[in-house]
Amino acid sequence: MIKNTYWICPPVDTGDVCPVFSKSVSVDKVVETARLSVSAVGVYEARINGERVGDFILAPGCTSYRTRLQYQTYDVADMLKCENTLEICLGKGWYRGRISASDAEINKTPGAVIAELIISYTDGTKTIVATDDTWTVYTSRILLSDIYDGETYDSTAETRELGRAVINADISKSPLIPQEGEYVTEHERIKPVRMFKTPKGERVIDFGQNTAGYVTLELDAKEGDRIVLSHAEILDGDGNFYNANYRGAKAKLEYICRGGHQTYRPHFTFFGFRYIRLDECPDGVTLDSFTATALYSGMKRTGRITTGNEKVNKLYENTLWSQRGNFIDVPTDCPQRDERMGWLGDAQMFAKTACYNYDVKKFLEKWLGDLRAEQRANGSVPDTVPNFWLIPKSSAAWGDAITVIPWQLYLFYGDKNILKQNFDAMKKWVDYITNDTLEEYLWTSTDDDKKLWGKHYGDWLALDASYGSYIGATDIDLIASAFYAHSTDIVVKAGKTIGEDVAEYERLYDNIVSAFKKKYNKLQTQTECVLALYFGLTDDREETAKQLCDMIEANGNRLMTGFVGTPYLLYALCENGYAKTAYDLLLQEEYPSWLYEVDHGATTIWEHWDGIRDDGTLWSADMNSYNHYAYGSVVDWLYSVAAGIRPAAESAGFKKVVIAPVPDKRLGSMSASLDTVCGTVRSSWRFDGDTVRYEIETPTDATIIIDGKEHFVPKGTYVF
Ligand code: BGC
């Protein structure tokens, strides 16, 4: 824990210019250990003798700052000499940038840093260097840096001493916590694939991959040369640079060169982009000068899939890229426009896919800490966490992240502590619904609550929405009641797992199911059927499944579902005898479909099924991201049904595995692997004429289900 309580600020307001706090540190004995702990109201980079401390970009990270502000501790023993300069540069970040502007109490907190360097010597003595009013403050060359707007860096700017730092006693009450999440670090480096002139005559560079991060520059230049870059995810139908969909996010990079060879990367911002436009650039700069660097939380890759269909493989790759780009410390909706928020709905829909692709335990547990911190006294939760926009309400299928994600993490990692830590919050959420509804045992709301930007988002972006509306045709009360059942069911299962008395919630669950079946006995939309089937809310599964299948067929084997129905659509079909229809949808290439996006050049998952239309026109700029992972949730179906790898219901954390592949000749083959806490599971199948050959490897006891036949096997490799 940081013992120091002195938060220090610059002596004068530096406006957009990032200040640097500096302190000289002398070391005159043999160092045994040296640990530097740092946090900031903003984001920081620490340096010792000019060398970067650690590799965390955008430290101290993004949390619910009112109650949780992380600090990081670095081992710096090897960085110390006899005479040292410790510097901490401070940017605005999430805390003080435009992203949190709606929350003045947070956003207007003065920029400040806190640090403590503890040097222990071999002779048993110690030196402690902590932030206080003996530190000196300078201006830096970062003239502006904002998560939405980008960065301006002037390598020719003179840095000025501003005087001694000032202690800010108010910030001392800030709720410091040790680092909980993964560090956000640099990952893939992507070289441009081409530079070209658009029909409008703009010079544009294409990196070939939509990503989140920034462009790194390496070039020879004259002093004063300027490089100004704009970012975009796509080109418009005419092939011109297009970033109107970034809305109010300026997303500009401006770099003023010094003379000679130099490198630069932005310090306190990131962009979502595939293309950059060279708004200004000195002659002689070549493609080699630009590298796109992907930025995301350092999660370990756990899952891999290759199929016999290149387009499905591309869809899978696109989902991985959308996970990377939207797992920058917080699970976000998108990484490019003036949003980049931890939307609960998007996160809960994608959590299962996220768990298959990467080890996201630490990442999501940290975010759940923020979610619990933001839960209101009545049990409701804001629709985004951190709640930078001060959203006062709770939507069905969004708020349910508080039950769905802990349960998902438990199933994958088998750690009961996750349930113990979240159980009260999960119950409170269900209790909130119980108290909020207009009708007992359902979650029904007023008509105002159901309007766009009322309480609920409904089947967000479903195609059965009336033209121009964001809310699909599925009955909002039905969605809310289905998720009420789902969350209550999870509370019951979680409670039983950790030995809690959940009799009251079991009764509640039974009552919700009966009330639902009674009220919603006529299902109208694809999503309504999907929810009734997937959450076990229909007495007539056969009839409901047939209705769903008929609706899909009548729609030309195409889906109509939005954020709420899509994640469970293929499960609802497959679990009820319609595996062929599930594959029809997976392999469909006509609009709307997953592969339609692939055919239209997607390198990440789009927010709208019709982000780019066949005629080249685009969905309106007001809500159109090309890096939105929600529909990428189809990937968990690929792992858990097509390849069939799933944790056994009664033994979480893959202590036992169920492997029940569902092959389809049109996909040709499937090869999936998953590194679990118990070892690596592999499942593959391929068609040999009309015969399917399976190869399955399990690190633990497993139930392998092939053609409906169960095989109980110990660890080993099996061929069928
Ligand atoms: C976001 C979504 C989010 C939604 C709420 C949008 O602005 O981008 O992904 O879930 O609002 O409906």
Side-chain angles (χ1 to χ4, degrees), residues 86 171 221 319:
L86 168 58
I171 309 176
T319 305

Side-chain angles (χ1 to χ4, degrees), residues 36 39 79 87 123 219 233 265 275 282 309 312 348 358 402 461 683:
L36 173 67
S39 189
M79 301 179 81
E87 289 173 309
D123 67 2
L219 71 162
E233 293 180 288
R265 63 145 180 101
Y275 299 93
N309 181 314
V312 173
Q348 76 77 10
Y358 282 92
I402 203 163
L461 308 187
S683 168

Side-chain angles (χ1 to χ4, degrees), residues 8-15 19-22 110-112 132-133 135-139 160-168:
I8 54 172
C9 299
V12 291
D13 182 4
T14 63
V20 178
F21 299 82
S22 174
D132 60 18
D133 55 7
W135 287 51
T136 312
V137 186
Y138 298 86
T139 58
R160 278 185 304 120
E161 184 180 326
L162 298 170
R164 288 290 169 92
V166 175
I167 293 169
N168 185 314

Side-chain angles (χ1 to χ4, degrees), residues 376-624:
R376 305 174 186 112
N378 69 357
S380 70
V381 290
D383 296 325
T384 77
V385 166
N387 190 11
F388 291 136
W389 289 350
L390 299 177
I391 295 175
K393 59 185 194 65
S394 273
S395 168
W398 269 248
D400 298 279
I402 203 163
T403 56
V404 171
I405 294 181
W407 184 245
Q408 184 58 51
L409 293 181
Y410 169 67
L411 286 180
F412 255 69
Y413 306 110
D415 179 357
K416 288 189 184 168
N417 286 325
I418 298 171
L419 298 180
K420 288 185 188 150
Q421 210 165 23
N422 290 285
F423 188 64
D424 283 344
M426 293 158 79
K427 273 198 313 189
K428 272 172 73 182
W429 166 248
V430 168
D431 296 346
Y432 159 70
I433 301 173
T434 301
N435 294 322
D436 186 63
T437 184
L438 302 179
E439 277 169 85
E440 197 179 23
Y441 303 132
L442 298 169
W443 188 8
T444 55
S445 309
T446 64
D447 286 346
D448 274 349
D449 284 341
K450 294 180 213 159
K451 286 191 183 142
L452 186 60
W453 314 125
K455 186 192 292 176
H456 296 291
Y457 302 112
D459 190 16
W460 188 245
L461 308 187
L463 295 166
D464 44 17
S466 49
Y467 184 76
S469 164
Y470 289 113
I471 297 184
T474 294
D475 184 330
I476 287 178
D477 286 341
L478 182 150
I479 294 174
S481 302
F483 273 88
Y484 183 25
H486 185 42
S487 276
T488 308
D489 185 34
I490 290 175
V491 165
V492 170
K493 289 192 285 206
K496 285 186 175 170
T497 308
I498 56 172
E500 294 278 344
D501 175 7
V502 285
E504 182 196 331
Y505 292 92
E506 278 185 291
R507 277 192 298 277
L508 174 63
Y509 176 70
D510 290 343
N511 284 324
I512 298 170
V513 173
S514 316
F516 187 99
K517 287 179 181 169
K518 199 159 151 218
K519 177 149 184 177
Y520 300 112
N521 53 13
K522 292 249 175 309
L523 303 168
Q524 312 278 355
T525 66
Q526 290 186 9
T527 290
E528 290 181 8
C529 294
V530 168
L531 296 181
L533 286 166
Y534 188 75
F535 293 148
L537 300 170
T538 168
D539 276 331
D540 199 344
R541 295 191 78 85
E542 223 172 280
E543 183 52 40
T544 308
K546 184 170 177 313
Q547 186 189 348
L548 173 60
C549 188
D550 288 348
M551 281 193 274
I552 292 167
E553 273 176 20
N555 194 38
N557 274 339
R558 286 173 301 180
L559 51 76
M560 291 289 272
T561 49
F563 274 34
V564 166
T566 305
Y568 321 115
L569 175 59
L570 302 195
Y571 290 95
L573 288 164
C574 239
E575 285 168 5
N576 294 286
Y578 291 97
K580 181 189 163 295
T581 313
Y583 271 104
D584 287 344
L585 292 178
L586 175 72
L587 299 171
Q588 174 64 265
E589 295 188 39
E590 295 294 313
Y591 165 79
S593 67
W594 286 280
L595 297 190
Y596 168 89
E597 296 184 10
V598 170
D599 286 344
H600 286 68
T603 61
T604 36
I605 303 296
W606 298 351
E607 179 174 24
H608 289 265
W609 294 114
D610 54 352
I612 300 176
R613 304 201 183 95
D614 264 332
D615 64 2
T617 58
L618 311 175
W619 179 273
S620 89
D622 69 339
M623 187 82 77
N624 193 17

Side-chain angles (χ1 to χ4, degrees), residues 628-664:
H628 232 76
Y629 53 45
Y631 294 149
S633 54
V634 67
V635 159
D636 57 60
W637 182 86
L638 287 178
Y639 281 108
S640 70
V641 180
I645 302 174
R646 45 190 114 124
E650 72 291 353
S651 83
F654 294 90
K655 286 178 202 88
K656 275 192 190 154
V657 195
V658 174
I659 305 157
V662 177
D664 185 285

